Amino acid sequence: ISTELSDPRLVRLLKLEAHESDTTIKEVLTRALEAWFADRLENKALARLAEASFHEWNDPRDSDYDRL
């Protein structure tokens, strides 16, 4: 995969992080993407779990409150 970052601030931050952690820009990007996807997958899993608990609140008798 190849991409060009047009934001010089991001490029500077990537280079700085790579230098400070004594690693490559590719490794910094890989770690960042892994963390982002892990967080996203966790959020999706939590949302699926929450759906079940909110299902019990789906009661037609509460329609008056739903309109408020």
Side-chain angles (χ1 to χ4, degrees):
I1 295 177
S2 177
T3 186
E4 184 177 327
L5 292 175
S6 60
D7 186 340
R9 181 185 58 89
L10 288 176
V11 173
R12 273 194 315 276
L13 289 170
L14 280 168
K15 288 179 179 180
L16 181 62
E17 179 60 29
H19 177 73
E20 288 178 354
S21 60
D22 194 30
T23 188
T24 65
I25 291 174
K26 179 181 177 180
E27 290 171 347
V28 171
L29 284 171
T30 299
R31 285 195 317 261
L33 285 170
E34 286 172 344
W36 185 81
F37 279 114
D39 185 56
R40 186 164 165 78
L41 290 172
E42 181 181 357
N43 286 339
K44 284 182 178 183
L46 290 173
R48 280 193 298 275
L49 288 173
E51 285 177 15
S53 61
F54 287 117
H55 182 68
E56 67 186 55
W57 291 0
N58 192 12
D59 189 336
R61 296 173 293 178
D62 293 334
S63 61
D64 292 335
Y65 294 105
D66 292 343
R67 285 192 291 275
L68 296 176

